[in-house]
Amino acid sequence: MTAAAGVSMLCSNRRLDSSALRGNAQTGKIKRHMRGGSVGEVNKERSGAYQEMSDEALIGRVRAGDEGAARVLFERHRGRVYALAYSYLGDRESALDVVQEVFGRVFGALWRFRSGARFTTWLYRIALNCCYDALRRRRSHPEEPAEQDVFALRGGDCEGPDASARRSELSAALRRAIAKLSPKLRDVFLLRFAEGLSYKEIANTLGINVGTVMSRLFYARQALREMLSDFL
């Protein structure tokens, strides 16, 4: 495993080193789970209320730590981001990857959003930047994945005298974090990043649609980002 293996791979298309996944048989609940069981499901009554909210109202709730509002915001706008990405990249898999990258950036920088501004304008600006980044990477490194590693480790590649210990610590933390995902989220995450399956292949394997794959992958990455925050 490379120095930044594990966390940096969570949001790329690179396959995880199988050694990072050993001992991942036990499961558990993530720290912040939604009432009703699955991390990827929002309580129906609350979800209905969220649907009536404006983007700005949802953003206010997301800033206050409301995961349900974040999920509704993602579901509401993912289609338009995908359409934009596909028009630029002309490739379904690359466009789906860009959707994941865009919302990773959005929720990571939501505190910058100005009250009173139009959310979709800000969202499109981020989406366009992600598309341009993907096109640049494609021209520079045509064999590399289109999605940026947004889980980059703090301190770069962990080089130095403590690098080996840091890598071991990261590997163990990654195994524990993956084990804490709900079964639905863990299945999608591992099929994508450990097995390298496409979104369509995952959908066929699990008997779900591609949109559900996107949602579960997004929720899995959000949960892992929280659990691995010490390495970001």
Side-chain angles (χ1 to χ4, degrees), residues 108-127:
L110 203 56
W111 58 273
R112 297 179 184 173
F113 180 72
R114 290 185 298 103
S115 178
R118 188 175 179 84
F119 174 70
T120 50
T121 301
W122 187 61
L123 176 66
Y124 277 132
R125 188 178 302 117
I126 293 174

Side-chain angles (χ1 to χ4, degrees), residues 137-194:
R137 287 192 295 270
R138 179 182 289 178
R139 288 193 293 268
S140 301
H141 306 284
E143 298 303 318
E144 291 188 2
E147 189 172 2
Q148 182 183 20
D149 293 344
V150 298
F151 272 115
L153 288 174
R154 187 165 51 211
D157 286 337
C158 296
E159 298 302 333
D162 298 326
S164 179
R166 181 69 167 170
R167 285 194 296 268
S168 296
E169 182 183 1
L170 170 59
S171 181
L174 177 61
R175 289 196 300 269
R176 291 193 299 269
I178 293 174
K180 290 180 181 179
L181 292 173
S182 70
K184 289 181 179 180
L185 301 189
R186 188 174 60 253
D187 289 347
V188 169
F189 179 82
L190 292 179
L191 287 174
R192 178 63 175 167
F193 296 112

